[in-house]
Amino acid sequence: MSAECSSYLNADKVLVSGFSCPRTGGDARAVYCCGFQDVKYCCDDPQSFFPYEHSYMWWLSVGALVGLSIAAVVLFAFIITVCVLCYLFISTKPRSKLDTGLSLQMAGKTSC
């Protein structure tokens, strides 16, 4: 079984000639043409060809980075808020002890 990868223009707009999979000297299991419109290679997964240019992956990566950055900022703001609230809770506690109404005396001394 073999697959044909047709010729294509790579990201630098250079024509890459077509080739058959598996390639000579390559992995014998790589019998499928995989990759993107502008980057093709042989692989062993028949579902690994995407009819898009490889550059669309960068937009997915940028979107993921923006999402992770926003999540990190929200988490950081939550942690700062918890720390400030803990500090305010501790610092606004009354410092003097409450009077329990009991007076303590030393035992063993009696006056006669």
Side-chain angles (χ1 to χ4, degrees):
M1 174 181 240
S2 69
E4 292 289 324
C5 284
S6 60
S7 59
Y8 61 95
L9 290 175
N10 66 10
D12 297 327
K13 305 299 181 208
V14 175
L15 181 66
V16 177
S17 59
F19 53 89
S20 295
C21 295
R23 293 186 107 164
T24 308
D27 187 1
R29 295 174 297 177
V31 294
Y32 300 103
C33 183
C34 300
F36 301 90
Q37 285 181 347
D38 56 349
V39 177
K40 294 181 182 179
Y41 55 91
C42 296
C43 71
D44 60 357
D45 183 7
Q47 303 298 320
S48 292
F49 182 77
F50 306 99
Y52 314 107
E53 289 188 2
H54 185 255
S55 60
Y56 96 98
M57 296 294 286
W58 289 106
W59 288 108
L60 292 178
S61 298
V62 169
L65 286 175
V66 168
L68 288 173
S69 298
I70 291 170
V73 168
V74 169
L75 179 64
F76 185 68
F78 176 76
I79 291 171
I80 294 296
T81 303
V82 168
C83 290
V84 167
L85 290 175
C86 286
Y87 172 76
L88 289 174
F89 177 75
I90 292 170
S91 67
T92 56
K93 272 187 160 181
R95 300 216 185 270
S96 63
K97 293 189 176 188
L98 295 174
D99 184 19
T100 60
L102 300 174
S103 60
L104 299 177
Q105 297 177 356
M106 282 181 49
K109 263 197 152 184
T110 57
S111 10
C112 295

